[in-house]
Amino acid sequence: MHALTLIDTPALVVFNIILASAMGVVLLVTRLGLDTAAVRLDTWLIGASLLILSRLMTPLEEVFAFLGLHLPGMTLMLPLMLCGLYWQAMGLRGLRGCEVRRSRLLCHSLLAGATVVALDTVLDITVFLYIFLAGLLLVGMLLLREALMLARRTWGGRLLAATAGLMLISNLLLLDTSAASSEQVARRGLLVEMLWALFSTAGFLQCLYQDLREKLAATAMTDALTGALNRHGLLPQLERELARARRGQPLSVVLCDLDHFKKINDQHGHDVGDTVLKRFVARARAGLRRSDLLGRWGGEEFLFVLPDTAAAEAVRVAERVRANLLADSALPPIRFSAGVASTTEPALQCDLQRLLSCADRRLYIAKQQRDRVVGNDAGALDKHVG
């Protein structure tokens, strides 16, 4: 505490404003650079801007006084601070993928600001400050809660949680000012604000970048049209399932090809063809378990990866998907042929290339008559649907 007496308060205010403004510029440049990919940064950026504005109230009040004008700096600073932290808390919530309506935040902010200004005019200054600190504690707890939710998966969230916790403890200490002068309280508050501006910005940006990395990775592994996995996303998971199969767990794959898909494109257009692909994926997912994998293998070909499933059960899964498509009354109707291969077949030896080649060979057999499933080379498990 003695070290606080060595710090010049006006210099600390100036440094606080410079630091907060620098962090604001970093956020703004990030927002402009990432464009729509960083749209969830907007709410946090608005909160940071309100906090910067709150820090400017003290020097602005002195400037206005020098010009012979009156600016109620303290009255404006406190609601701006509360609203800034509240918007940042909602920014963290948005980063978790929750819906945040900025119109609602604006209404809350205006209501809170009007309430603080009204209380300042009718209450004793001591009572008013205690009420303000209570509001600050509530917002601090909201910030801490949202940061802890992010801390489960990112180190940026942990940094935010630690800084929010420090700010909350500091605000609790402000409730007992008997052992500190108002000057020391002001310095302590300024130091905490600087720590929050620096570390919260670093933590938020790390959370944002990690979220963008995860989304880019998911995009790279997902077919943009249907939402199913693409080859790049499916193959690593198929190899992991094969590793399990080598330890004795059965694994089957079903390679499907939509029948007469070129005819659908020629007769109805590519837009309808795209809709057919999306309908197939939706109906296929309804017939698969949560542990099963579905990927677009190429064009109108799709691959089901069925862990803990032998060949006969895999054929039944394919027939279940067909039943879902038969129940679909939308036009044009969707039919498919499929080849099934399983690691329970000794000749395949849990080898990826042999497994896929076998499924492809049986799909070729199925395509000779179309609208059928071939589960072995002799066609013993075949079932034609007229």
Side-chain angles (χ1 to χ4, degrees):
M1 187 62 66
H2 176 70
L4 291 175
T5 63
L6 303 178
I7 303 174
D8 181 56
T9 302
L12 197 56
V13 170
V14 172
F15 185 68
N16 195 330
I17 294 172
I18 293 173
L19 178 62
S21 300
M23 295 300 101
V25 169
V26 170
L27 291 168
L28 182 60
V29 170
T30 302
R31 175 65 180 89
L32 295 174
L34 295 176
D35 198 24
T36 55
V39 68
R40 281 176 294 177
L41 193 150
D42 290 349
T43 305
W44 179 274
L45 184 57
I46 291 172
S49 301
L50 290 173
L51 289 176
I52 293 172
L53 192 57
S54 74
R55 294 179 177 99
L56 288 171
M57 286 299 104
T58 300
L60 282 177
E61 185 176 23
E62 295 179 1
V63 171
F64 271 64
F66 178 77
L67 297 174
L69 302 172
H70 174 67
L71 177 70
M74 180 65 71
T75 303
L76 295 175
M77 180 185 71
L78 299 181
L80 285 171
M81 185 184 299
L82 277 177
C83 294
L85 292 173
Y86 177 62
W87 277 75
Q88 289 191 326
M90 294 300 101
L92 296 183
R93 180 170 295 181
L95 200 57
R96 292 196 292 112
C98 302
E99 182 183 8
V100 176
R101 296 181 181 177
R102 287 200 286 271
S103 58
R104 181 179 297 178
L105 294 186
L106 180 60
C107 292
H108 292 170
S109 300
L110 292 174
L111 179 61
T115 302
V116 171
V117 172
L119 290 175
D120 185 37
T121 58
V122 299
L123 293 177
D124 175 74
I125 184 61
T126 304
V127 176
F128 169 74
L129 287 177
Y130 274 109
I131 293 176
F132 168 75
L133 283 174
L136 202 57
L137 288 172
L138 288 175
V139 175
M141 286 189 287
L142 180 61
L143 265 172
L144 181 60
R145 177 184 177 277
E146 297 298 332
L148 287 172
M149 298 292 286
L150 289 170
R152 298 175 180 178
R153 61 185 184 89
T154 64
W155 70 258
R158 299 182 191 106
L159 181 60
L160 279 163
T163 313
L166 175 64
M167 184 170 63
L168 191 60
I169 292 171
S170 176
N171 290 335
L172 282 170
L173 293 175
L174 289 178
L175 292 174
D176 180 19
T177 58
S178 58
S181 66
S182 59
E183 188 78 6
Q184 290 174 325
V185 170
R187 289 175 182 145
R188 184 193 301 163
L190 288 168
L191 286 172
V192 172
E193 287 177 18
M194 286 191 296
L195 289 174
W196 175 252
L198 179 61
F199 292 114
S200 67
T201 301
F204 184 87
L205 289 178
Q206 194 282 327
C207 291
L208 178 66
Y209 288 144
Q210 180 161 326
D211 182 67
L212 292 176
R213 282 198 303 270
E214 291 173 356
K215 280 182 168 49
L216 286 173
T219 300
M221 295 187 296
T222 305
D223 176 57
L225 175 64
T226 64
L229 292 169
N230 57 23
R231 281 200 185 205
H232 180 72
L234 189 59
L235 277 173
Q237 299 191 55
L238 176 55
E239 289 172 348
R240 282 195 291 271
E241 292 299 335
L242 273 172
R244 290 183 65 244
R246 295 185 186 103
R247 297 194 292 270
Q249 302 295 328
L251 173 70
S252 295
V253 297
V254 181
L255 185 60
C256 308
D257 185 89
L258 302 192
D259 295 332
H260 306 296
F261 184 72
K262 185 178 184 301
K263 184 178 178 181
I264 291 173
N265 272 334
D266 292 342
Q267 290 185 353
H268 301 281
H270 289 281
D271 288 344
V272 173
D274 290 346
T275 302
V276 165
L277 293 174
K278 289 188 279 190
R279 280 172 50 207
F280 173 80
V281 169
R283 290 293 181 175
R285 280 177 172 155
L288 299 177
R289 302 165 301 179
R290 294 187 66 179
S291 58
D292 298 332
L293 301 173
L294 167 61
R296 188 177 180 185
W297 203 240
E300 64 271 24
E301 283 190 348
F302 293 86
L303 184 70
F304 305 161
V305 179
L306 311 176
D308 303 316
T309 305
E313 177 61 26
V315 171
R316 286 191 286 271
V317 169
E319 295 297 346
R320 187 163 65 242
V321 172
R322 173 179 280 113
N324 287 341
L325 290 169
L326 288 172
D328 188 353
S329 59
L331 296 174
I334 304 173
R335 301 292 182 266
F336 70 91
S337 303
V340 178
S342 177
T343 58
T344 56
E345 302 174 63
L348 300 184
Q349 299 180 354
C350 293
D351 181 81
L352 176 62
Q353 292 304 319
R354 291 186 183 185
L355 191 71
L356 293 176
S357 296
C358 180
D360 187 59
R361 183 173 66 252
R362 291 170 182 173
L363 171 61
Y364 178 78
I365 296 170
K367 293 293 285 187
Q368 302 309 303
Q369 294 183 353
R370 301 186 190 279
D371 197 21
R372 65 197 304 243
V373 177
V374 172
N376 65 13
D377 292 326
L381 295 172
D382 299 358
K383 179 177 181 180
H384 179 70
V385 178

Coordinates of all heavy atoms in Angstrom, one line a residue, residues 75 84 109 113 141 159 248 262 300:
T75 N -20.7 12.1 -12.3 CA -22.0 11.6 -12.6 C -22.1 10.8 -13.9 O -22.8 9.8 -14.0 CB -23.0 12.7 -12.6 OG1 -23.0 13.5 -11.4 CG2 -24.5 12.3 -12.9
G84 N -20.0 -0.1 -19.6 CA -18.9 -0.7 -20.4 C -18.6 -2.1 -19.9 O -18.4 -3.0 -20.7
S109 N -28.7 -0.5 -20.8 CA -27.6 0.6 -20.5 C -28.3 1.9 -20.3 O -27.9 2.6 -19.4 CB -26.6 0.7 -21.7 OG -26.0 -0.6 -21.9
G113 N -28.1 3.9 -16.8 CA -27.5 5.2 -16.8 C -28.4 6.2 -16.2 O -28.0 7.1 -15.4
M141 N -19.4 -9.9 -11.0 CA -19.7 -11.3 -10.8 C -20.2 -11.9 -12.2 O -19.9 -13.0 -12.5 CB -20.7 -11.5 -9.7 CG -20.2 -11.3 -8.3 SD -21.3 -11.8 -7.0 CE -22.4 -10.4 -7.0
L159 N -7.2 -16.4 -18.3 CA -6.6 -15.0 -18.1 C -7.8 -14.0 -17.8 O -7.6 -13.2 -16.8 CB -5.8 -14.6 -19.3 CG -5.1 -13.2 -19.2 CD1 -4.2 -13.2 -18.0 CD2 -4.4 -12.9 -20.5
G248 N -10.3 -55.6 -31.9 CA -11.4 -56.5 -31.8 C -12.8 -56.0 -31.9 O -13.8 -56.7 -31.9
K262 N -27.4 -37.6 -62.3 CA -27.1 -36.7 -63.5 C -28.4 -36.4 -64.2 O -28.6 -35.3 -64.7 CB -26.2 -37.5 -64.5 CG -25.8 -36.6 -65.7 CD -24.8 -37.4 -66.5 CE -24.3 -36.4 -67.7 NZ -25.4 -36.0 -68.5
E300 N -21.9 -37.3 -56.0 CA -23.1 -37.8 -55.4 C -22.8 -39.1 -54.6 O -23.7 -39.9 -54.2 CB -24.2 -38.1 -56.4 CG -23.8 -39.2 -57.4 CD -23.1 -38.7 -58.7 OE1 -22.5 -37.6 -58.6 OE2 -23.2 -39.3 -59.7

